[in-house]
Amino acid sequence: MIGVKLKIIDMFVLEDTNSVANHFLAELRDINHQNDRLKFRKNLERLGEVMAYEISKSFNFHEVEVLTPLGAKNTYLIYEEPVLIAVLRAALPFYNGFLNFFDKADSGFIGAYRKEEGSQNTDIEIEYLYQATPEIDNKNLILIDPMLATGKSIVKTIDNLLLKGSPKSIQIVSVIAAPEGIDFINQSIKAPFKLWVCSIDKCLNEQSYIIPGLGDAGDLSFGDKI
């Protein structure tokens, strides 16, 4: 059950249709599997591949002829590779899944983290430390951040990216999202975008962590930070 009523936005939710992806997401959440970092990262990567496949259906394709040893076959290929933007560090395994499928894509990386935590969601501040991104003008932009909690890091990232260019489209992709974060990005991002999530959870707690969520995706992938 979702604790906050969502406004209507352009959104795809993977979990709305049952598939084998449910197994990957269940293992990410399960405390009995979370001590296996390799498996945790692999499941994030698998979900990245699943979401890359789903997003690819929305792209433009063009017809090409492929020559085989025995003849020729016409097929349709993606007209233009997207630009992948990963929010460090938790996004890296999830991003790898996208790169496995969009293997010719340019990539960019954003360094952002929570600066302060208070007792209320509004107290969260985002420190934006690093941005290394390719040309995004007239490109299909995929922003990859596995946990959409308050949505503040995503909004700050989009605001900074739009200072560098005007993408053709913006796709924001997360594994787990909170309704509060979805509403925040919907109200705050001025450019058109589509949100792609694997699952929408109930709410944020007082520390702005997703409930039930899965914990800290970065720590579970790479170890505790200090």
Side-chain angles (χ1 to χ4, degrees), residues 12 14-28 39 42-51 53-54 101 175 198:
F12 169 89
L14 181 65
E15 210 173 41
D16 282 351
T17 302
N18 287 331
S19 72
V20 69
N22 289 357
H23 293 255
F24 311 149
L25 186 56
E27 288 185 350
L28 284 176
K39 190 170 191 177
K42 187 62 179 179
N43 280 324
L44 281 176
E45 182 178 2
R46 286 168 165 172
L47 287 171
E49 292 175 342
V50 172
M51 296 300 270
Y53 169 76
E54 294 292 347
F101 274 32
V175 176
C198 298

Side-chain angles (χ1 to χ4, degrees), residues 7 29 44 61 187:
K7 297 178 180 178
R29 295 185 189 271
L44 281 176
F61 285 71
Q187 294 167 9

